[in-house]
């Protein structure tokens, strides 16, 4: 009896493990890429196969193998699948009351090559901007300010979602430009901001 229970537990764990891998892959593709439509039929088929064969470890192995191959191909295309479990959300503008809501100030510099530098802290946004300039100069990032965009924001992590809001130093036009950038480059931005604290 104990052997049967252990075998059933192993099958259940195998199913849950593959289901989680599929969910993470699906979330990554839908939230961080523009190629989700390309893989959606395959993921749907795999999900259906897995649902119909919950207690078949051979099917679990086959589905896992196909997901691993897909993830390997995505990595070779330059995608960072570790970002699949986090997301980014923009929420309008906030004032200094944001501190009481758990938000922190940050300044982002989005460079012409799409790299992103940032600084966070308790100083006001103008002081943070000057500190970011000093850091970029020390790193010998010599791009002229007219060649990249600066954004003055508030941020907070909530359940692995990075919430960004404009600050008083951010113009509405600049925030709209940032919104457009996020729409087209969310995965790239999260790659740089995943450890923002």
């Amino acid at each position: 009896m104990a052997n049967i229970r252990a075998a059933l537990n192993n099958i259940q764990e195998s199913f849950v493990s593959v289901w989680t891998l599929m969910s993470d892959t699906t979330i990554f593709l839908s939230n961080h890429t523009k190629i989700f439509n390309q893989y959606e039929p395959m993921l749907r088929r795999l999900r259906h196969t897995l649902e119909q064969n919950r207690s078949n470890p051979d099917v679990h192995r086959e589905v896992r193998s196909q997901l691993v191959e897909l993830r390997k191909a995505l990595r070779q295309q330059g995608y960072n699948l570790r970002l699949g479990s986090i997301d980014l959300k923009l929420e309008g503008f906030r004032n200094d009351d944001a501190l009481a809501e758990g938000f922190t100030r940050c300044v982002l510099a989005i460079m012409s090559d799409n790299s992103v530098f940032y600084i966070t802290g308790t100083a006001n946004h103008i002081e943070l901007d000057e500190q970011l300039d000093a850091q970029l100069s020390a790193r010998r990032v010599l791009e002229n300010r007219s060649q990249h965009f600066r954004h003055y924001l508030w941020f907070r992590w909530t359940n692995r979602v990075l919430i960004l809001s404009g600050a008083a130093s951010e113009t509405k036009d600049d925030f709209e430009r940032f919104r457009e950038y996020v729409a087209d480059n969310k995965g790239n931005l999260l790659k740089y901001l995943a450890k923002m604290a």
Side-chain angles (χ1 to χ4, degrees):
M1 189 63 136
N3 288 344
I4 294 173
R5 191 175 299 122
L8 290 174
N9 283 343
N10 287 342
I11 290 171
Q12 179 64 21
E13 286 176 14
S14 170
F15 173 81
V16 169
S17 172
V18 177
W19 190 266
T20 300
L21 185 65
M22 184 166 3
S23 295
D24 287 350
T25 305
T26 303
I27 290 168
F28 174 81
L29 283 166
S30 63
N31 286 347
H32 302 288
T33 74
K34 295 181 180 181
I35 59 173
F36 176 66
N37 291 343
Q38 182 180 335
Y39 294 101
E40 186 177 16
M42 173 191 176
L43 291 167
R44 235 186 233 155
R45 179 180 49 77
L46 291 175
R47 187 177 302 276
H48 178 74
T49 300
L50 195 58
E51 284 177 332
Q52 298 301 310
N53 297 278
R54 286 178 169 263
S55 58
N56 187 334
D58 292 333
V59 171
H60 300 173
R61 278 190 290 278
E62 176 56 30
V63 170
R64 175 183 293 283
S65 173
Q66 290 184 45
L67 288 169
V68 166
E69 284 303 311
L70 169 59
R71 292 170 71 89
K72 183 177 175 183
L74 290 169
R75 281 190 198 92
Q76 288 172 346
Q77 294 174 43
Y79 291 104
N80 182 353
L81 278 83
R82 289 177 295 178
L83 301 177
S85 61
I86 63 173
D87 200 5
L88 186 151
K89 182 178 173 187
L90 297 182
E91 287 188 353
F93 282 80
R94 297 181 187 279
N95 58 30
D96 287 351
D97 293 344
L99 288 168
E101 299 172 34
F103 283 84
T104 303
R105 291 180 181 95
C106 69
V107 177
L108 299 182
I110 302 173
M111 313 309 269
S112 59
D113 67 356
N114 239 5
S115 60
V116 178
F117 296 91
Y118 68 89
I119 188 169
T120 66
T122 56
N124 68 45
H125 283 94
I126 302 307
E127 291 170 359
L128 288 174
D129 187 46
E130 292 168 358
Q131 292 173 26
L132 182 57
D133 271 343
Q135 287 182 6
L136 293 177
S137 180
R139 289 181 181 181
R140 299 183 187 268
V141 178
L142 302 175
E143 192 168 283
N144 187 305
R145 278 187 77 129
S146 65
Q147 295 175 303
H148 67 270
F149 297 106
R150 292 282 173 111
H151 294 283
Y152 305 92
L153 306 168
W154 292 97
F155 82 93
R156 178 179 77 184
W157 285 98
T158 303
N159 297 326
R160 300 194 50 79
V161 175
L162 176 61
I163 298 171
L164 295 173
S165 297
S169 306
E170 177 85 356
T171 69
K172 288 186 180 182
D173 287 344
D174 286 346
F175 193 68
E176 194 52 43
R177 184 182 296 124
F178 182 61
R179 187 182 300 281
E180 291 169 10
Y181 176 84
V182 170
D184 293 335
N185 299 279
K186 186 190 283 190
N188 180 65
L189 191 57
L190 276 171
K191 176 176 72 174
Y192 288 98
L193 304 184
K195 295 183 179 177
M196 180 183 271

